[in-house]
Amino acid sequence: PLPLPLPAPQVPSSSSSSAPVRSGPPQLALRSPPLVAQGPFAGLTLGLLGWAPEDDVTKEMVRKICENGGTTVYGSAESVLEAQVNTCICQGYSTPDVGQKVLANFATIKWVDACVAEGICHSITNFLHFAPGPGPLPLQDMANCLVRITALGASDNRKRTRLQELVEVLGAKE
């Protein structure tokens, strides 16, 4: 990964007191370029918001995205958001509280996995579990629920897979 220096903090002049002041050194985001020119994430920059750079899970996600044509940016939440990524990948199934208006989309690990498995960049709105929910998931109250998926033919394997993933995200058993 190559460090991506972000703009230095701007200190307002004494005549301008409405601009926020950031203290401390500027944060760095780590940027990993794509390893191939084509793939489901070609031309996209995906942010790993809140992922620890030294974690094996982070390294595996960076590898998966870069091997499929995407660029990753990861580090502090502030540095990732300032890097103007296309989509932020959440570690869990809930949208992180970033305390500011964010222009990027949020997606789950399930979205990344489905895009890689099928070799296409799915719309995040295609399936409910591709976008993180507004609250904590999985739902504890679903732990004792059993869900059976029926009435899908052999040609509906993709739908079955996505429904199984949704059951998992909700916390139920299949």
Side-chain angles (χ1 to χ4, degrees), residues 76-125:
S76 71
E78 179 181 305
S79 66
V80 170
L81 293 173
E82 285 182 3
Q84 298 178 345
V85 298
N86 300 103
T87 301
C88 288
I89 309 302
C90 302
Q91 275 190 299
Y93 297 113
S94 300
T95 303
D97 181 17
V98 292
Q100 58 183 318
K101 186 176 180 178
V102 178
L103 299 178
N105 294 313
F106 286 97
T108 64
I109 295 170
K110 294 290 186 188
W111 175 75
V112 173
D113 291 342
C115 293
V116 169
E118 297 175 16
I120 60 171
C121 186
H122 288 285
S123 168
I124 295 169
T125 59

Short mmCIF file of all heavy atoms in Angstrom, two decimals, residues 76-125:
data_model
loop_
_atom_site.label_atom_id
_atom_site.label_comp_id
_atom_site.label_asym_id
_atom_site.label_seq_id
_atom_site.Cartn_x
_atom_site.Cartn_y
_atom_site.Cartn_z
N SER A 76 -7.97 5.81 8.92
CA SER A 76 -8.96 6.42 9.80
C SER A 76 -10.22 6.77 9.02
O SER A 76 -10.17 6.98 7.80
CB SER A 76 -8.39 7.68 10.45
OG SER A 76 -8.27 8.71 9.49
N ALA A 77 -11.34 6.82 9.71
CA ALA A 77 -12.61 7.15 9.05
C ALA A 77 -12.51 8.50 8.34
O ALA A 77 -12.94 8.64 7.19
CB ALA A 77 -13.74 7.16 10.07
N GLU A 78 -11.90 9.47 8.98
CA GLU A 78 -11.78 10.81 8.40
C GLU A 78 -10.96 10.77 7.11
O GLU A 78 -11.34 11.35 6.10
CB GLU A 78 -11.13 11.75 9.41
CG GLU A 78 -10.94 13.17 8.89
CD GLU A 78 -10.27 14.07 9.92
OE1 GLU A 78 -10.78 14.17 11.05
OE2 GLU A 78 -9.23 14.66 9.57
N SER A 79 -9.85 10.04 7.13
CA SER A 79 -8.98 10.01 5.94
C SER A 79 -9.65 9.26 4.78
O SER A 79 -9.49 9.65 3.63
CB SER A 79 -7.62 9.39 6.27
OG SER A 79 -7.75 8.03 6.62
N VAL A 80 -10.41 8.22 5.08
CA VAL A 80 -11.10 7.48 4.02
C VAL A 80 -12.18 8.36 3.40
O VAL A 80 -12.31 8.43 2.17
CB VAL A 80 -11.70 6.16 4.56
CG1 VAL A 80 -12.63 5.51 3.54
CG2 VAL A 80 -10.60 5.19 4.95
N LEU A 81 -12.94 9.04 4.21
CA LEU A 81 -14.01 9.90 3.69
C LEU A 81 -13.44 11.07 2.89
O LEU A 81 -14.00 11.47 1.87
CB LEU A 81 -14.90 10.40 4.82
CG LEU A 81 -15.72 9.31 5.51
CD1 LEU A 81 -16.43 9.88 6.73
CD2 LEU A 81 -16.70 8.67 4.56
N GLU A 82 -12.31 11.62 3.31
CA GLU A 82 -11.69 12.73 2.59
C GLU A 82 -11.11 12.27 1.25
O GLU A 82 -10.92 13.08 0.35
CB GLU A 82 -10.62 13.39 3.44
CG GLU A 82 -11.19 14.24 4.55
CD GLU A 82 -10.12 14.94 5.37
OE1 GLU A 82 -8.92 14.80 5.04
OE2 GLU A 82 -10.48 15.61 6.34
N ALA A 83 -10.84 10.99 1.11
CA ALA A 83 -10.28 10.46 -0.14
C ALA A 83 -11.33 10.34 -1.24
O ALA A 83 -11.00 9.99 -2.37
CB ALA A 83 -9.63 9.10 0.11
N GLN A 84 -12.56 10.65 -0.96
CA GLN A 84 -13.66 10.66 -1.92
C GLN A 84 -13.80 9.32 -2.66
O GLN A 84 -13.68 9.24 -3.87
CB GLN A 84 -13.50 11.81 -2.91
CG GLN A 84 -13.55 13.15 -2.23
CD GLN A 84 -13.34 14.31 -3.18
OE1 GLN A 84 -12.90 14.14 -4.30
NE2 GLN A 84 -13.66 15.51 -2.72
N VAL A 85 -14.06 8.28 -1.89
CA VAL A 85 -14.24 6.95 -2.44
C VAL A 85 -15.63 6.82 -3.06
O VAL A 85 -16.54 7.57 -2.73
CB VAL A 85 -14.03 5.87 -1.36
CG1 VAL A 85 -12.61 5.92 -0.82
CG2 VAL A 85 -15.03 6.01 -0.23
N ASN A 86 -15.79 5.84 -3.97
CA ASN A 86 -17.10 5.59 -4.58
C ASN A 86 -18.03 4.91 -3.61
O ASN A 86 -19.22 5.23 -3.54
CB ASN A 86 -16.95 4.71 -5.82
CG ASN A 86 -16.08 5.34 -6.87
OD1 ASN A 86 -14.93 4.96 -7.02
ND2 ASN A 86 -16.60 6.32 -7.58
N THR A 87 -17.50 3.92 -2.90
CA THR A 87 -18.31 3.12 -1.98
C THR A 87 -17.48 2.78 -0.76
O THR A 87 -16.30 2.44 -0.89
CB THR A 87 -18.77 1.82 -2.67
OG1 THR A 87 -19.52 2.15 -3.84
CG2 THR A 87 -19.65 0.97 -1.76
N CYS A 88 -18.08 2.86 0.41
CA CYS A 88 -17.43 2.44 1.66
C CYS A 88 -17.95 1.05 2.02
O CYS A 88 -19.16 0.83 2.06
CB CYS A 88 -17.76 3.39 2.80
SG CYS A 88 -16.95 4.99 2.67
N ILE A 89 -17.04 0.13 2.28
CA ILE A 89 -17.40 -1.23 2.66
C ILE A 89 -17.43 -1.30 4.18
O ILE A 89 -16.43 -1.01 4.85
CB ILE A 89 -16.39 -2.26 2.10
CG1 ILE A 89 -16.19 -2.06 0.60
CG2 ILE A 89 -16.85 -3.68 2.44
CD1 ILE A 89 -17.43 -2.15 -0.24
N CYS A 90 -18.57 -1.68 4.74
CA CYS A 90 -18.73 -1.78 6.19
C CYS A 90 -18.32 -3.18 6.65
O CYS A 90 -18.59 -4.16 5.97
CB CYS A 90 -20.19 -1.53 6.57
SG CYS A 90 -20.79 0.08 6.04
N GLN A 91 -17.69 -3.25 7.80
CA GLN A 91 -17.30 -4.55 8.33
C GLN A 91 -18.50 -5.35 8.79
O GLN A 91 -18.52 -6.56 8.66
CB GLN A 91 -16.31 -4.39 9.48
CG GLN A 91 -14.90 -4.28 8.98
CD GLN A 91 -13.89 -4.37 10.10
OE1 GLN A 91 -13.90 -3.56 11.01
NE2 GLN A 91 -13.04 -5.36 10.02
N GLY A 92 -19.46 -4.70 9.33
CA GLY A 92 -20.66 -5.38 9.79
C GLY A 92 -21.83 -5.11 8.86
O GLY A 92 -21.65 -4.77 7.69
N TYR A 93 -23.02 -5.23 9.39
CA TYR A 93 -24.22 -5.04 8.58
C TYR A 93 -24.94 -3.74 8.92
O TYR A 93 -26.05 -3.52 8.51
CB TYR A 93 -25.17 -6.22 8.76
CG TYR A 93 -24.58 -7.51 8.28
CD1 TYR A 93 -24.27 -8.53 9.16
CD2 TYR A 93 -24.31 -7.72 6.93
CE1 TYR A 93 -23.72 -9.72 8.71
CE2 TYR A 93 -23.76 -8.90 6.48
CZ TYR A 93 -23.47 -9.89 7.37
OH TYR A 93 -22.91 -11.06 6.92
N SER A 94 -24.27 -2.87 9.69
CA SER A 94 -24.87 -1.59 10.06
C SER A 94 -24.05 -0.46 9.47
O SER A 94 -22.84 -0.55 9.35
CB SER A 94 -24.91 -1.44 11.58
OG SER A 94 -25.65 -2.47 12.17
N THR A 95 -24.73 0.63 9.14
CA THR A 95 -24.03 1.81 8.64
C THR A 95 -23.28 2.45 9.79
O THR A 95 -23.86 2.71 10.84
CB THR A 95 -25.03 2.82 8.05
OG1 THR A 95 -25.80 2.18 7.03
CG2 THR A 95 -24.32 4.03 7.47
N PRO A 96 -21.98 2.70 9.62
CA PRO A 96 -21.23 3.31 10.72
C PRO A 96 -21.66 4.75 10.95
O PRO A 96 -22.08 5.44 10.03
CB PRO A 96 -19.78 3.24 10.24
CG PRO A 96 -19.87 3.13 8.77
CD PRO A 96 -21.16 2.45 8.45
N ASP A 97 -21.56 5.19 12.19
CA ASP A 97 -21.89 6.56 12.53
C ASP A 97 -20.64 7.40 12.29
O ASP A 97 -19.68 7.32 13.05
CB ASP A 97 -22.33 6.67 13.99
CG ASP A 97 -22.69 8.08 14.39
OD1 ASP A 97 -22.91 8.92 13.50
OD2 ASP A 97 -22.75 8.35 15.62
N VAL A 98 -20.64 8.15 11.23
CA VAL A 98 -19.47 8.96 10.90
C VAL A 98 -19.64 10.41 11.31
O VAL A 98 -18.72 11.20 11.19
CB VAL A 98 -19.12 8.86 9.39
CG1 VAL A 98 -18.63 7.49 9.05
CG2 VAL A 98 -20.29 9.25 8.53
N GLY A 99 -20.81 10.77 11.80
CA GLY A 99 -21.04 12.09 12.35
C GLY A 99 -21.00 13.23 11.34
O GLY A 99 -20.86 14.36 11.70
N GLN A 100 -21.10 12.93 10.08
CA GLN A 100 -21.11 13.98 9.06
C GLN A 100 -21.82 13.46 7.82
O GLN A 100 -22.04 12.27 7.68
CB GLN A 100 -19.70 14.42 8.72
CG GLN A 100 -18.81 13.28 8.22
CD GLN A 100 -17.39 13.74 7.95
OE1 GLN A 100 -17.20 14.81 7.40
NE2 GLN A 100 -16.42 12.95 8.33
N LYS A 101 -22.17 14.38 6.94
CA LYS A 101 -22.80 13.98 5.69
C LYS A 101 -21.76 13.32 4.80
O LYS A 101 -20.67 13.85 4.60
CB LYS A 101 -23.41 15.20 5.00
CG LYS A 101 -24.21 14.83 3.78
CD LYS A 101 -24.88 16.04 3.18
CE LYS A 101 -25.67 15.62 1.97
NZ LYS A 101 -26.37 16.73 1.37
N VAL A 102 -22.08 12.17 4.28
CA VAL A 102 -21.15 11.40 3.47
C VAL A 102 -21.73 11.27 2.06
O VAL A 102 -22.90 10.93 1.89
CB VAL A 102 -20.93 10.00 4.09
CG1 VAL A 102 -20.01 9.18 3.23
CG2 VAL A 102 -20.39 10.12 5.49
N LEU A 103 -20.89 11.51 1.06
CA LEU A 103 -21.35 11.41 -0.32
C LEU A 103 -21.21 10.00 -0.88
O LEU A 103 -21.80 9.68 -1.89
CB LEU A 103 -20.57 12.40 -1.20
CG LEU A 103 -20.74 13.87 -0.82
CD1 LEU A 103 -19.88 14.75 -1.72
CD2 LEU A 103 -22.19 14.29 -0.92
N ALA A 104 -20.41 9.16 -0.22
CA ALA A 104 -20.19 7.80 -0.71
C ALA A 104 -21.36 6.89 -0.36
O ALA A 104 -22.11 7.14 0.58
CB ALA A 104 -18.91 7.24 -0.10
N ASN A 105 -21.50 5.83 -1.14
CA ASN A 105 -22.46 4.77 -0.81
C ASN A 105 -21.84 3.86 0.23
O ASN A 105 -20.62 3.81 0.36
CB ASN A 105 -22.76 3.93 -2.06
CG ASN A 105 -23.47 4.72 -3.14
OD1 ASN A 105 -24.42 5.42 -2.87
ND2 ASN A 105 -22.99 4.61 -4.36
N PHE A 106 -22.68 3.13 0.92
CA PHE A 106 -22.19 2.13 1.86
C PHE A 106 -22.63 0.76 1.36
O PHE A 106 -23.75 0.60 0.86
CB PHE A 106 -22.76 2.36 3.27
CG PHE A 106 -22.13 3.54 3.97
CD1 PHE A 106 -22.76 4.77 3.95
CD2 PHE A 106 -20.93 3.41 4.62
CE1 PHE A 106 -22.19 5.86 4.59
CE2 PHE A 106 -20.35 4.49 5.26
CZ PHE A 106 -20.98 5.72 5.24
N ALA A 107 -21.76 -0.22 1.49
CA ALA A 107 -22.07 -1.58 1.08
C ALA A 107 -21.50 -2.55 2.11
O ALA A 107 -20.65 -2.18 2.91
CB ALA A 107 -21.48 -1.87 -0.30
N THR A 108 -21.99 -3.78 2.05
CA THR A 108 -21.53 -4.81 2.98
C THR A 108 -20.52 -5.73 2.31
O THR A 108 -20.34 -5.72 1.10
CB THR A 108 -22.71 -5.66 3.48
OG1 THR A 108 -23.28 -6.35 2.36
CG2 THR A 108 -23.78 -4.81 4.16
N ILE A 109 -19.89 -6.53 3.13
CA ILE A 109 -18.95 -7.54 2.63
C ILE A 109 -19.67 -8.50 1.68
O ILE A 109 -19.09 -8.97 0.71
CB ILE A 109 -18.32 -8.30 3.82
CG1 ILE A 109 -17.47 -7.34 4.65
CG2 ILE A 109 -17.49 -9.48 3.34
CD1 ILE A 109 -16.99 -7.92 5.97
N LYS A 110 -20.93 -8.78 1.94
CA LYS A 110 -21.72 -9.66 1.07
C LYS A 110 -21.79 -9.11 -0.35
O LYS A 110 -21.80 -9.87 -1.31
CB LYS A 110 -23.13 -9.88 1.62
CG LYS A 110 -23.17 -10.62 2.93
CD LYS A 110 -22.79 -12.06 2.74
CE LYS A 110 -22.98 -12.84 4.04
NZ LYS A 110 -22.45 -14.18 3.94
N TRP A 111 -21.85 -7.79 -0.50
CA TRP A 111 -21.86 -7.18 -1.82
C TRP A 111 -20.54 -7.45 -2.53
O TRP A 111 -20.53 -7.86 -3.70
CB TRP A 111 -22.11 -5.67 -1.70
CG TRP A 111 -22.01 -4.93 -2.99
CD1 TRP A 111 -22.94 -4.91 -4.01
CD2 TRP A 111 -20.94 -4.09 -3.43
NE1 TRP A 111 -22.50 -4.11 -5.04
CE2 TRP A 111 -21.28 -3.60 -4.71
CE3 TRP A 111 -19.73 -3.71 -2.86
CZ2 TRP A 111 -20.44 -2.74 -5.42
CZ3 TRP A 111 -18.90 -2.86 -3.57
CH2 TRP A 111 -19.26 -2.38 -4.83
N VAL A 112 -19.43 -7.25 -1.82
CA VAL A 112 -18.12 -7.51 -2.41
C VAL A 112 -18.03 -8.98 -2.84
O VAL A 112 -17.62 -9.29 -3.96
CB VAL A 112 -16.98 -7.16 -1.42
CG1 VAL A 112 -15.62 -7.60 -1.97
CG2 VAL A 112 -16.98 -5.68 -1.09
N ASP A 113 -18.42 -9.88 -1.94
CA ASP A 113 -18.34 -11.32 -2.24
C ASP A 113 -19.20 -11.70 -3.45
O ASP A 113 -18.76 -12.48 -4.31
CB ASP A 113 -18.77 -12.14 -1.02
CG ASP A 113 -17.78 -12.05 0.12
OD1 ASP A 113 -16.61 -11.64 -0.10
OD2 ASP A 113 -18.18 -12.38 1.26
N ALA A 114 -20.40 -11.15 -3.55
CA ALA A 114 -21.28 -11.47 -4.68
C ALA A 114 -20.71 -10.92 -5.99
O ALA A 114 -20.75 -11.59 -7.02
CB ALA A 114 -22.69 -10.90 -4.44
N CYS A 115 -20.17 -9.71 -5.96
CA CYS A 115 -19.57 -9.13 -7.16
C CYS A 115 -18.40 -9.97 -7.64
O CYS A 115 -18.27 -10.24 -8.85
CB CYS A 115 -19.10 -7.70 -6.89
SG CYS A 115 -20.43 -6.52 -6.58
N VAL A 116 -17.55 -10.41 -6.72
CA VAL A 116 -16.39 -11.22 -7.07
C VAL A 116 -16.84 -12.59 -7.60
O VAL A 116 -16.36 -13.06 -8.63
CB VAL A 116 -15.44 -11.38 -5.87
CG1 VAL A 116 -14.37 -12.42 -6.13
CG2 VAL A 116 -14.81 -10.03 -5.52
N ALA A 117 -17.78 -13.22 -6.90
CA ALA A 117 -18.23 -14.56 -7.29
C ALA A 117 -18.87 -14.57 -8.67
O ALA A 117 -18.68 -15.52 -9.44
CB ALA A 117 -19.22 -15.10 -6.26
N GLU A 118 -19.62 -13.51 -9.01
CA GLU A 118 -20.35 -13.49 -10.27
C GLU A 118 -19.65 -12.66 -11.35
O GLU A 118 -20.12 -12.59 -12.48
CB GLU A 118 -21.77 -13.02 -10.02
CG GLU A 118 -22.51 -14.01 -9.12
CD GLU A 118 -23.90 -13.58 -8.72
OE1 GLU A 118 -24.46 -12.67 -9.35
OE2 GLU A 118 -24.41 -14.16 -7.75
N GLY A 119 -18.54 -12.00 -10.98
CA GLY A 119 -17.75 -11.26 -11.96
C GLY A 119 -18.40 -10.01 -12.49
O GLY A 119 -18.05 -9.52 -13.55
N ILE A 120 -19.38 -9.47 -11.76
CA ILE A 120 -20.04 -8.23 -12.17
C ILE A 120 -20.19 -7.32 -10.96
O ILE A 120 -20.20 -7.79 -9.82
CB ILE A 120 -21.43 -8.48 -12.80
CG1 ILE A 120 -22.36 -9.19 -11.81
CG2 ILE A 120 -21.34 -9.26 -14.08
CD1 ILE A 120 -23.80 -9.26 -12.28
N CYS A 121 -20.31 -6.04 -11.22
CA CYS A 121 -20.53 -5.09 -10.12
C CYS A 121 -22.04 -4.91 -9.95
O CYS A 121 -22.68 -4.22 -10.75
CB CYS A 121 -19.84 -3.77 -10.43
SG CYS A 121 -19.91 -2.61 -9.05
N HIS A 122 -22.58 -5.56 -8.94
CA HIS A 122 -24.02 -5.47 -8.67
C HIS A 122 -24.38 -4.08 -8.17
O HIS A 122 -23.59 -3.41 -7.51
CB HIS A 122 -24.42 -6.46 -7.57
CG HIS A 122 -24.41 -7.88 -8.00
ND1 HIS A 122 -25.37 -8.43 -8.80
CD2 HIS A 122 -23.54 -8.89 -7.71
CE1 HIS A 122 -25.11 -9.70 -9.00
NE2 HIS A 122 -24.00 -10.01 -8.35
N SER A 123 -25.59 -3.68 -8.42
CA SER A 123 -26.13 -2.48 -7.79
C SER A 123 -26.31 -2.81 -6.31
O SER A 123 -26.76 -3.91 -5.97
CB SER A 123 -27.47 -2.11 -8.41
OG SER A 123 -28.10 -1.13 -7.62
N ILE A 124 -25.96 -1.89 -5.46
CA ILE A 124 -26.09 -2.12 -4.02
C ILE A 124 -27.55 -2.30 -3.63
O ILE A 124 -27.86 -2.97 -2.65
CB ILE A 124 -25.42 -0.98 -3.23
CG1 ILE A 124 -23.92 -0.99 -3.51
CG2 ILE A 124 -25.68 -1.09 -1.75
CD1 ILE A 124 -23.17 0.22 -3.02
N THR A 125 -28.45 -1.77 -4.44
CA THR A 125 -29.88 -1.87 -4.12
C THR A 125 -30.52 -3.15 -4.65
O THR A 125 -31.71 -3.37 -4.43
CB THR A 125 -30.64 -0.65 -4.65
OG1 THR A 125 -30.46 -0.58 -6.06
CG2 THR A 125 -30.16 0.63 -4.00
#
